[in-house]
Amino acid sequence: MLYYKTYHKSDEAEWVVFVHGAGGSSSIWFKQLKAYKEEFNVLMVDLRGHGKSKGMLQQYYENEYSFKMASQDIIDVIDDAGIEKAHFVGVSLGTIIIRTIGEMQPERVRSMVMCGAIMRLNIRSRFLVSLGHLFKKVVPFMWLYKLFAWIILPKKRHSESRNLFIREAKKLYKKEFMKWFNMTHEVNPLLKYFREKELEIPTLYVMGSEDYLFLPPIKKIVDDHKKSVLEVVKKCGHVVNVEQPETFNEVSLNFLKSDGLPSNC
């Protein structure tokens, strides 16, 4: 079982489950916790080998990872916590996990908030991934991670979120990092399927205007998917919840409290 922590507001309140990205931990949501606890019951979880789930790593050494496996981990957590249905909030790679949960058990997902969503890899992204696979056995994994962090979050005002992810990634074992990195082999076919098939689940995408790698395909998805809406936060990069937390909290909470209707922010 992954490490998780719950914050219980009341039996009547709905649940929100937060899912971080690769190389991070549930600490990525520290600027959301106070605002969300006032409105919802909250569950924070650390993915395999990340944060306080790092201690359970030994049992996974012989297995390759997949997005379905990572998603089942989260389902096991909400089962253990006795949560029948929840809103899910994810960032970066965590958005792929949330979308996979929506495929596996759509009846468990009230809505999805996708921050810095990854729904397509462009030519530059695919080149970087290919480069990473080419050099992963000879280059220290933190060099690769830092390179990706600088390319995804290049501006000075992205430094807080960039440094946060690098700091958390340093806590990973090399073997663990490589297992998550190897999941990029299944990304493109999976994302193509996600783009073509819309779920009947209200979805909010919260993207930074400077998220150059991932914003364009999200605009296309929102144009094609009736249940999806997009909020673009100006002067902001990939990790909106860290760079502009007040805006992210207002926009996302308005969406959740309005049963998936667009916010007026």
Side-chain angles (χ1 to χ4, degrees):
M1 183 67 59
L2 301 181
Y3 169 83
Y4 71 91
K5 186 172 183 178
T6 59
Y7 301 86
H8 191 263
K9 180 179 185 294
S10 71
D11 291 340
E12 292 72 33
E14 295 177 347
W15 281 92
V16 174
V17 176
F18 285 90
V19 182
H20 63 82
S25 73
S26 55
S27 65
I28 194 75
W29 305 109
F30 72 100
K31 294 184 179 181
Q32 280 64 61
L33 185 56
K34 181 179 178 181
Y36 268 78
K37 284 195 304 182
E38 293 176 356
E39 305 287 347
F40 295 98
N41 298 323
V42 173
L43 186 148
M44 298 282 189
V45 61
D46 287 340
L47 297 175
R48 292 183 174 209
H50 293 69
K52 293 184 179 180
S53 292
K54 190 173 181 179
M56 58 184 288
L57 192 58
Q58 186 63 43
Q59 62 183 295
Y60 295 131
Y61 272 162
E62 303 306 319
N63 300 321
E64 289 300 318
Y65 292 176
S66 68
F67 285 106
K68 186 174 182 180
M69 191 181 297
S71 302
Q72 185 61 52
D73 285 346
I74 305 297
I75 293 171
D76 291 344
V77 163
I78 63 175
D79 285 345
D80 189 68
I83 300 171
E84 294 184 7
K85 196 168 186 176
H87 304 280
F88 287 81
V89 181
V91 62
S92 196
L93 180 136
T95 64
I96 303 178
I97 295 174
I98 287 174
R99 182 60 163 79
T100 306
I101 294 171
E103 291 287 340
M104 294 170 65
Q105 295 194 3
E107 72 281 359
R108 309 288 295 274
V109 185
R110 293 185 183 275
S111 69
M112 301 182 291
V113 176
M114 312 286 231
C115 175
I118 300 174
M119 284 294 153
R120 185 177 188 177
L121 298 183
N122 62 14
I123 293 174
R124 187 191 302 179
S125 304
R126 293 196 297 271
F127 174 75
L128 289 171
V129 169
S130 299
L131 201 65
H133 282 293
L134 184 63
F135 290 104
K136 66 184 180 182
K137 292 184 178 180
V138 295
V139 174
F141 81 92
M142 278 309 304
W143 288 14
L144 292 176
Y145 196 91
K146 287 179 180 179
L147 174 63
F148 292 150
W150 274 99
I151 291 171
I152 294 172
L153 298 158
K155 292 183 176 288
K156 184 176 180 180
R157 58 173 161 259
H158 305 161
S159 61
E160 182 181 2
S161 50
R162 181 175 62 243
N163 292 337
L164 176 60
F165 271 95
I166 290 173
R167 187 166 63 248
E168 288 296 319
K170 286 180 179 178
K171 300 175 184 178
L172 290 176
Y173 297 120
K174 179 180 179 179
K175 193 165 186 177
E176 179 70 10
F177 174 86
M178 290 306 175
K179 286 194 173 188
W180 282 94
F181 185 73
N182 286 337
M183 288 167 63
T184 56
H185 285 304
E186 66 174 296
V187 163
N188 266 342
L190 187 64
L191 297 186
K192 184 176 186 292
Y193 173 76
F194 288 168
R195 295 194 302 273
E196 292 175 350
K197 180 188 176 184
E198 179 179 12
L199 294 176
E200 291 298 312
I201 298 172
T203 303
L204 169 67
Y205 293 95
V206 186
M207 308 291 292
S209 63
E210 297 168 351
D211 195 353
Y212 305 118
L213 291 181
F214 304 116
L215 177 57
I218 298 301
K219 289 181 176 178
K220 180 66 167 59
I221 284 177
V222 172
D223 286 341
D224 295 340
H225 291 184
K226 296 179 181 179
K227 289 283 188 178
S228 298
V229 292
L230 170 64
E231 292 279 358
V232 179
V233 181
K234 295 180 180 179
K235 297 182 179 180
C236 191
H238 184 59
V239 193
V240 182
N241 65 298
V242 173
E243 294 176 40
Q244 295 200 31
E246 291 182 1
T247 300
F248 176 84
N249 293 348
E250 183 177 4
V251 166
S252 58
L253 284 169
N254 283 348
F255 176 81
L256 297 182
K257 291 189 292 184
S258 64
D259 294 323
L261 298 174
S263 89
N264 294 319
C265 296

mmCIF file of all heavy atoms in Angstrom, residues 188-216:
data_model
loop_
_atom_site.group_PDB
_atom_site.id
_atom_site.type_symbol
_atom_site.label_atom_id
_atom_site.label_comp_id
_atom_site.label_asym_id
_atom_site.label_seq_id
_atom_site.Cartn_x
_atom_site.Cartn_y
_atom_site.Cartn_z
ATOM 1 N N ASN A 188 2.920 7.693 -25.950
ATOM 2 C CA ASN A 188 2.275 8.183 -27.167
ATOM 3 C C ASN A 188 1.021 7.409 -27.566
ATOM 4 O O ASN A 188 -0.008 8.021 -27.860
ATOM 5 C CB ASN A 188 3.279 8.244 -28.316
ATOM 6 C CG ASN A 188 3.904 9.623 -28.447
ATOM 7 O OD1 ASN A 188 3.387 10.604 -27.923
ATOM 8 N ND2 ASN A 188 5.014 9.706 -29.130
ATOM 9 N N PRO A 189 1.046 6.067 -27.628
ATOM 10 C CA PRO A 189 -0.193 5.346 -27.952
ATOM 11 C C PRO A 189 -1.306 5.611 -26.946
ATOM 12 O O PRO A 189 -2.477 5.747 -27.320
ATOM 13 C CB PRO A 189 0.235 3.871 -27.919
ATOM 14 C CG PRO A 189 1.701 3.872 -28.049
ATOM 15 C CD PRO A 189 2.188 5.150 -27.465
ATOM 16 N N LEU A 190 -0.931 5.712 -25.663
ATOM 17 C CA LEU A 190 -1.925 5.955 -24.616
ATOM 18 C C LEU A 190 -2.547 7.337 -24.772
ATOM 19 O O LEU A 190 -3.773 7.502 -24.714
ATOM 20 C CB LEU A 190 -1.254 5.830 -23.245
ATOM 21 C CG LEU A 190 -2.161 5.896 -22.011
ATOM 22 C CD1 LEU A 190 -3.129 4.717 -21.999
ATOM 23 C CD2 LEU A 190 -1.320 5.888 -20.742
ATOM 24 N N LEU A 191 -1.711 8.353 -24.997
ATOM 25 C CA LEU A 191 -2.220 9.714 -25.141
ATOM 26 C C LEU A 191 -3.058 9.870 -26.402
ATOM 27 O O LEU A 191 -4.034 10.625 -26.417
ATOM 28 C CB LEU A 191 -1.061 10.709 -25.140
ATOM 29 C CG LEU A 191 -0.235 10.777 -23.846
ATOM 30 C CD1 LEU A 191 0.793 11.898 -23.937
ATOM 31 C CD2 LEU A 191 -1.120 10.961 -22.627
ATOM 32 N N LYS A 192 -2.682 9.183 -27.460
ATOM 33 C CA LYS A 192 -3.484 9.214 -28.690
ATOM 34 C C LYS A 192 -4.884 8.685 -28.418
ATOM 35 O O LYS A 192 -5.896 9.255 -28.868
ATOM 36 C CB LYS A 192 -2.808 8.393 -29.783
ATOM 37 C CG LYS A 192 -3.516 8.436 -31.140
ATOM 38 C CD LYS A 192 -2.711 7.667 -32.173
ATOM 39 C CE LYS A 192 -3.335 7.820 -33.564
ATOM 40 N NZ LYS A 192 -4.647 7.139 -33.657
ATOM 41 N N TYR A 193 -4.964 7.597 -27.677
ATOM 42 C CA TYR A 193 -6.260 7.022 -27.301
ATOM 43 C C TYR A 193 -7.057 8.003 -26.451
ATOM 44 O O TYR A 193 -8.262 8.192 -26.668
ATOM 45 C CB TYR A 193 -6.035 5.724 -26.543
ATOM 46 C CG TYR A 193 -7.289 5.122 -25.959
ATOM 47 C CD1 TYR A 193 -8.210 4.464 -26.765
ATOM 48 C CD2 TYR A 193 -7.555 5.218 -24.599
ATOM 49 C CE1 TYR A 193 -9.375 3.909 -26.230
ATOM 50 C CE2 TYR A 193 -8.702 4.667 -24.054
ATOM 51 C CZ TYR A 193 -9.610 4.010 -24.880
ATOM 52 O OH TYR A 193 -10.757 3.477 -24.349
ATOM 53 N N PHE A 194 -6.404 8.658 -25.482
ATOM 54 C CA PHE A 194 -7.088 9.631 -24.622
ATOM 55 C C PHE A 194 -7.656 10.784 -25.440
ATOM 56 O O PHE A 194 -8.749 11.288 -25.170
ATOM 57 C CB PHE A 194 -6.127 10.183 -23.568
ATOM 58 C CG PHE A 194 -5.769 9.203 -22.485
ATOM 59 C CD1 PHE A 194 -4.722 9.479 -21.608
ATOM 60 C CD2 PHE A 194 -6.463 8.023 -22.322
ATOM 61 C CE1 PHE A 194 -4.381 8.590 -20.608
ATOM 62 C CE2 PHE A 194 -6.133 7.118 -21.330
ATOM 63 C CZ PHE A 194 -5.086 7.404 -20.465
ATOM 64 N N ARG A 195 -6.887 11.242 -26.442
ATOM 65 C CA ARG A 195 -7.346 12.367 -27.260
ATOM 66 C C ARG A 195 -8.562 11.990 -28.102
ATOM 67 O O ARG A 195 -9.443 12.809 -28.341
ATOM 68 C CB ARG A 195 -6.219 12.869 -28.166
ATOM 69 C CG ARG A 195 -5.044 13.472 -27.431
ATOM 70 C CD ARG A 195 -4.127 14.245 -28.371
ATOM 71 N NE ARG A 195 -3.594 13.434 -29.465
ATOM 72 C CZ ARG A 195 -2.491 12.713 -29.387
ATOM 73 N NH1 ARG A 195 -1.809 12.657 -28.238
ATOM 74 N NH2 ARG A 195 -2.046 12.029 -30.429
ATOM 75 N N GLU A 196 -8.587 10.737 -28.527
ATOM 76 C CA GLU A 196 -9.663 10.303 -29.426
ATOM 77 C C GLU A 196 -10.928 9.920 -28.674
ATOM 78 O O GLU A 196 -12.031 10.024 -29.222
ATOM 79 C CB GLU A 196 -9.185 9.112 -30.271
ATOM 80 C CG GLU A 196 -8.096 9.494 -31.276
ATOM 81 C CD GLU A 196 -7.545 8.287 -32.011
ATOM 82 O OE1 GLU A 196 -7.875 7.141 -31.613
ATOM 83 O OE2 GLU A 196 -6.776 8.496 -32.975
ATOM 84 N N LYS A 197 -10.794 9.475 -27.439
ATOM 85 C CA LYS A 197 -11.951 9.035 -26.672
ATOM 86 C C LYS A 197 -12.202 9.982 -25.494
ATOM 87 O O LYS A 197 -11.355 10.125 -24.612
ATOM 88 C CB LYS A 197 -11.753 7.616 -26.139
ATOM 89 C CG LYS A 197 -12.948 7.128 -25.328
ATOM 90 C CD LYS A 197 -12.681 5.803 -24.645
ATOM 91 C CE LYS A 197 -13.861 5.397 -23.767
ATOM 92 N NZ LYS A 197 -13.605 4.148 -23.010
ATOM 93 N N GLU A 198 -13.361 10.593 -25.472
ATOM 94 C CA GLU A 198 -13.724 11.476 -24.358
ATOM 95 C C GLU A 198 -14.487 10.687 -23.300
ATOM 96 O O GLU A 198 -15.388 9.899 -23.609
ATOM 97 C CB GLU A 198 -14.591 12.632 -24.838
ATOM 98 C CG GLU A 198 -15.007 13.568 -23.713
ATOM 99 C CD GLU A 198 -15.861 14.742 -24.163
ATOM 100 O OE1 GLU A 198 -16.321 14.715 -25.313
ATOM 101 O OE2 GLU A 198 -16.057 15.671 -23.361
ATOM 102 N N LEU A 199 -14.130 10.897 -22.044
ATOM 103 C CA LEU A 199 -14.879 10.316 -20.936
ATOM 104 C C LEU A 199 -16.051 11.225 -20.567
ATOM 105 O O LEU A 199 -15.993 12.439 -20.750
ATOM 106 C CB LEU A 199 -13.971 10.143 -19.711
ATOM 107 C CG LEU A 199 -12.820 9.144 -19.827
ATOM 108 C CD1 LEU A 199 -11.985 9.177 -18.557
ATOM 109 C CD2 LEU A 199 -13.332 7.744 -20.095
ATOM 110 N N GLU A 200 -17.086 10.636 -20.006
ATOM 111 C CA GLU A 200 -18.245 11.415 -19.542
ATOM 112 C C GLU A 200 -17.985 11.926 -18.130
ATOM 113 O O GLU A 200 -18.817 11.785 -17.240
ATOM 114 C CB GLU A 200 -19.503 10.546 -19.595
ATOM 115 C CG GLU A 200 -19.967 10.208 -20.997
ATOM 116 C CD GLU A 200 -20.356 11.467 -21.785
ATOM 117 O OE1 GLU A 200 -21.111 12.293 -21.239
ATOM 118 O OE2 GLU A 200 -19.895 11.618 -22.926
ATOM 119 N N ILE A 201 -16.811 12.510 -17.937
ATOM 120 C CA ILE A 201 -16.406 13.038 -16.634
ATOM 121 C C ILE A 201 -16.015 14.507 -16.818
ATOM 122 O O ILE A 201 -15.155 14.809 -17.651
ATOM 123 C CB ILE A 201 -15.202 12.253 -16.063
ATOM 124 C CG1 ILE A 201 -15.567 10.777 -15.835
ATOM 125 C CG2 ILE A 201 -14.715 12.884 -14.755
ATOM 126 C CD1 ILE A 201 -14.379 9.904 -15.450
ATOM 127 N N PRO A 202 -16.625 15.432 -16.071
ATOM 128 C CA PRO A 202 -16.230 16.847 -16.195
ATOM 129 C C PRO A 202 -14.742 17.019 -15.916
ATOM 130 O O PRO A 202 -14.215 16.498 -14.926
ATOM 131 C CB PRO A 202 -17.086 17.542 -15.123
ATOM 132 C CG PRO A 202 -18.249 16.631 -14.897
ATOM 133 C CD PRO A 202 -17.707 15.241 -15.087
ATOM 134 N N THR A 203 -14.068 17.744 -16.798
ATOM 135 C CA THR A 203 -12.613 17.882 -16.708
ATOM 136 C C THR A 203 -12.196 19.332 -16.878
ATOM 137 O O THR A 203 -12.620 19.997 -17.833
ATOM 138 C CB THR A 203 -11.919 17.031 -17.790
ATOM 139 O OG1 THR A 203 -12.327 15.664 -17.654
ATOM 140 C CG2 THR A 203 -10.407 17.114 -17.655
ATOM 141 N N LEU A 204 -11.392 19.810 -15.948
ATOM 142 C CA LEU A 204 -10.820 21.152 -16.031
ATOM 143 C C LEU A 204 -9.326 21.040 -16.269
ATOM 144 O O LEU A 204 -8.613 20.381 -15.508
ATOM 145 C CB LEU A 204 -11.076 21.931 -14.729
ATOM 146 C CG LEU A 204 -10.312 23.266 -14.583
ATOM 147 C CD1 LEU A 204 -10.803 24.295 -15.606
ATOM 148 C CD2 LEU A 204 -10.451 23.816 -13.159
ATOM 149 N N TYR A 205 -8.855 21.676 -17.326
ATOM 150 C CA TYR A 205 -7.415 21.788 -17.573
ATOM 151 C C TYR A 205 -6.965 23.172 -17.114
ATOM 152 O O TYR A 205 -7.535 24.185 -17.530
ATOM 153 C CB TYR A 205 -7.110 21.618 -19.064
ATOM 154 C CG TYR A 205 -7.392 20.235 -19.592
ATOM 155 C CD1 TYR A 205 -8.610 19.925 -20.201
ATOM 156 C CD2 TYR A 205 -6.446 19.225 -19.486
ATOM 157 C CE1 TYR A 205 -8.867 18.654 -20.683
ATOM 158 C CE2 TYR A 205 -6.693 17.945 -19.972
ATOM 159 C CZ TYR A 205 -7.906 17.669 -20.567
ATOM 160 O OH TYR A 205 -8.158 16.410 -21.049
ATOM 161 N N VAL A 206 -5.954 23.197 -16.251
ATOM 162 C CA VAL A 206 -5.372 24.457 -15.792
ATOM 163 C C VAL A 206 -3.935 24.495 -16.295
ATOM 164 O O VAL A 206 -3.074 23.754 -15.810
ATOM 165 C CB VAL A 206 -5.412 24.599 -14.257
ATOM 166 C CG1 VAL A 206 -4.933 25.996 -13.850
ATOM 167 C CG2 VAL A 206 -6.821 24.346 -13.716
ATOM 168 N N MET A 207 -3.685 25.359 -17.275
ATOM 169 C CA MET A 207 -2.397 25.380 -17.958
ATOM 170 C C MET A 207 -1.789 26.775 -17.898
ATOM 171 O O MET A 207 -2.508 27.781 -17.959
ATOM 172 C CB MET A 207 -2.566 24.970 -19.431
ATOM 173 C CG MET A 207 -3.308 23.663 -19.666
ATOM 174 S SD MET A 207 -2.388 22.189 -19.138
ATOM 175 C CE MET A 207 -1.036 22.196 -20.332
ATOM 176 N N GLY A 208 -0.474 26.831 -17.798
ATOM 177 C CA GLY A 208 0.220 28.101 -17.865
ATOM 178 C C GLY A 208 0.378 28.555 -19.308
ATOM 179 O O GLY A 208 0.570 27.731 -20.209
ATOM 180 N N SER A 209 0.304 29.850 -19.538
ATOM 181 C CA SER A 209 0.460 30.378 -20.896
ATOM 182 C C SER A 209 1.859 30.108 -21.445
ATOM 183 O O SER A 209 2.069 30.118 -22.658
ATOM 184 C CB SER A 209 0.177 31.883 -20.913
ATOM 185 O OG SER A 209 1.127 32.584 -20.107
ATOM 186 N N GLU A 210 2.824 29.858 -20.550
ATOM 187 C CA GLU A 210 4.204 29.600 -20.957
ATOM 188 C C GLU A 210 4.551 28.102 -20.954
ATOM 189 O O GLU A 210 5.721 27.735 -21.043
ATOM 190 C CB GLU A 210 5.162 30.360 -20.029
ATOM 191 C CG GLU A 210 4.978 31.872 -20.116
ATOM 192 C CD GLU A 210 5.692 32.634 -19.014
ATOM 193 O OE1 GLU A 210 6.185 31.962 -18.074
ATOM 194 O OE2 GLU A 210 5.749 33.861 -19.081
ATOM 195 N N ASP A 211 3.529 27.260 -20.881
ATOM 196 C CA ASP A 211 3.734 25.813 -20.939
ATOM 197 C C ASP A 211 3.768 25.403 -22.418
ATOM 198 O O ASP A 211 2.869 24.739 -22.934
ATOM 199 C CB ASP A 211 2.612 25.091 -20.199
ATOM 200 C CG ASP A 211 2.929 23.627 -19.895
ATOM 201 O OD1 ASP A 211 3.970 23.145 -20.390
ATOM 202 O OD2 ASP A 211 2.140 22.987 -19.186
ATOM 203 N N TYR A 212 4.844 25.803 -23.093
ATOM 204 C CA TYR A 212 4.908 25.722 -24.550
ATOM 205 C C TYR A 212 4.859 24.294 -25.078
ATOM 206 O O TYR A 212 4.327 24.056 -26.163
ATOM 207 C CB TYR A 212 6.187 26.396 -25.055
ATOM 208 C CG TYR A 212 6.336 27.827 -24.594
ATOM 209 C CD1 TYR A 212 7.411 28.209 -23.794
ATOM 210 C CD2 TYR A 212 5.391 28.795 -24.940
ATOM 211 C CE1 TYR A 212 7.547 29.515 -23.352
ATOM 212 C CE2 TYR A 212 5.519 30.102 -24.506
ATOM 213 C CZ TYR A 212 6.599 30.464 -23.702
ATOM 214 O OH TYR A 212 6.727 31.755 -23.278
ATOM 215 N N LEU A 213 5.391 23.344 -24.334
ATOM 216 C CA LEU A 213 5.411 21.962 -24.811
ATOM 217 C C LEU A 213 4.026 21.319 -24.793
ATOM 218 O O LEU A 213 3.698 20.524 -25.666
ATOM 219 C CB LEU A 213 6.366 21.117 -23.963
ATOM 220 C CG LEU A 213 7.867 21.391 -24.089
ATOM 221 C CD1 LEU A 213 8.642 20.434 -23.202
ATOM 222 C CD2 LEU A 213 8.333 21.261 -25.532
ATOM 223 N N PHE A 214 3.205 21.668 -23.796
ATOM 224 C CA PHE A 214 1.985 20.898 -23.560
ATOM 225 C C PHE A 214 0.673 21.663 -23.736
ATOM 226 O O PHE A 214 -0.379 21.034 -23.832
ATOM 227 C CB PHE A 214 2.036 20.287 -22.151
ATOM 228 C CG PHE A 214 3.257 19.434 -21.917
ATOM 229 C CD1 PHE A 214 4.205 19.783 -20.967
ATOM 230 C CD2 PHE A 214 3.470 18.289 -22.665
ATOM 231 C CE1 PHE A 214 5.335 19.000 -20.761
ATOM 232 C CE2 PHE A 214 4.597 17.495 -22.462
ATOM 233 C CZ PHE A 214 5.534 17.848 -21.508
ATOM 234 N N LEU A 215 0.698 22.994 -23.787
ATOM 235 C CA LEU A 215 -0.539 23.765 -23.920
ATOM 236 C C LEU A 215 -1.220 23.593 -25.278
ATOM 237 O O LEU A 215 -2.451 23.408 -25.317
ATOM 238 C CB LEU A 215 -0.271 25.246 -23.634
ATOM 239 C CG LEU A 215 -1.464 26.201 -23.812
ATOM 240 C CD1 LEU A 215 -2.642 25.779 -22.926
ATOM 241 C CD2 LEU A 215 -1.041 27.646 -23.495
ATOM 242 N N PRO A 216 -0.526 23.654 -26.414
ATOM 243 C CA PRO A 216 -1.221 23.577 -27.718
ATOM 244 C C PRO A 216 -2.127 22.354 -27.882
ATOM 245 O O PRO A 216 -3.292 22.505 -28.308
ATOM 246 C CB PRO A 216 -0.068 23.600 -28.730
ATOM 247 C CG PRO A 216 1.006 24.371 -28.030
ATOM 248 C CD PRO A 216 0.917 23.956 -26.591
#
